[in-house]
Amino acid sequence: MKRTQGISLFFLLAASGMGQATQTFDPPVLYPLPAESRAMTTGDVTGDGLDDVIVAAEAWDTGSSLWLLKGASGGLLQTVQLPYPGVGSARLLRTADFDGSGTRQILLVDATGRMYVISHGHRTRFVSIPDAKAENADVADFNGDGSPDIVIADTDAGGYVLLNDGHGGFAQRLALALPLMAIAKVVIDYFKADDTSPEAMAA
């Protein structure tokens, strides 16, 4: 029997009665994809105020693909295929408003460690981040300027932060003193509630 490929989403319903609020989940909704999912993230990348689901998938016969499940009222999603910029299967997906446009873009790291920022508007465009390679990565505002930066863990170059210039450019690099043997995963933590600058550490 052929296995159905795709992702299942659970929509949370909140209801109140008898003075108490209750939360339940609807039955899962399956969104079939013609490939097996490798990475997934969420965020409003279409600028309509509704969260979207972004899925990177891979099939042995068609290769890697990128899918946008566009958020809609009522929880139903419209599935749209986006151009896939990478040269290998996706390792990681994140979303953030890198260029200050008010709409989130997609950060994709492929299996070779190459990084791409993907914007989805009237047409989909992607920009590679040169001279950057990531085993793992995450996004946060490290210097408190209001723009999301990218923290990278790489077994060759060590740990470092790509500082955002506010327009989606990442030319400035800040090295982190992290032990190479501990850079398998990057964790971002806000150690102080009144401190807007997160610290990065390896875990």
Side-chain angles (χ1 to χ4, degrees):
M1 183 175 63
K2 185 177 180 180
R3 182 168 61 118
T4 301
Q5 299 180 85
I7 62 171
S8 294
L9 300 181
F10 294 82
F11 294 98
L12 178 65
L13 297 179
S16 59
M18 302 295 292
Q20 294 183 342
T22 59
Q23 293 182 333
T24 59
F25 285 96
D26 265 359
V29 179
L30 176 65
Y31 292 88
L33 296 175
E36 188 171 339
S37 60
R38 295 295 186 186
M40 183 175 68
T41 190
T42 60
D44 179 16
V45 299
T46 57
D48 59 2
L50 298 173
D51 278 340
D52 310 301
V53 180
I54 301 94
V55 182
E58 185 176 20
W60 68 270
D61 54 346
T62 58
S64 301
S65 56
L66 188 65
W67 299 86
L68 168 65
L69 281 69
K70 188 176 182 301
S73 59
L76 299 177
L77 304 179
Q78 175 187 0
T79 304
V80 179
Q81 184 174 7
L82 303 179
Y84 186 78
V87 297
S89 60
R91 175 181 291 165
L92 178 144
L93 291 173
R94 294 287 187 269
T95 63
D97 181 10
F98 293 111
D99 61 6
S101 63
T103 300
R104 288 174 174 253
Q105 293 83 50
I106 305 166
L107 173 67
L108 184 147
V109 180
D110 72 11
T112 68
R114 297 185 183 182
M115 307 177 66
Y116 304 86
V117 174
I118 306 165
S119 302
H120 180 67
H122 296 293
R123 65 182 182 89
T124 302
R125 63 182 181 88
F126 57 89
V127 178
S128 63
I129 301 178
D131 302 323
K133 180 183 176 184
E135 295 290 333
N136 203 345
D138 217 326
V139 176
D141 180 11
F142 278 84
N143 53 3
D145 63 356
S147 298
D149 309 304
I150 303 173
V151 59
I152 290 175
D154 178 59
T155 52
D156 294 327
Y160 57 94
V161 176
L162 294 176
L163 295 177
N164 191 344
D165 62 8
H167 304 285
F170 298 95
Q172 187 176 357
R173 180 178 300 192
L174 174 65
L176 299 176
L178 299 176
L180 287 179
M181 62 184 299
I183 307 181
K185 182 179 180 181
V186 170
V187 177
I188 295 177
D189 195 3
Y190 291 83
F191 288 97
K192 299 179 181 179
D194 58 348
D195 185 2
T196 58
S197 298
E199 299 182 26
M201 65 179 184

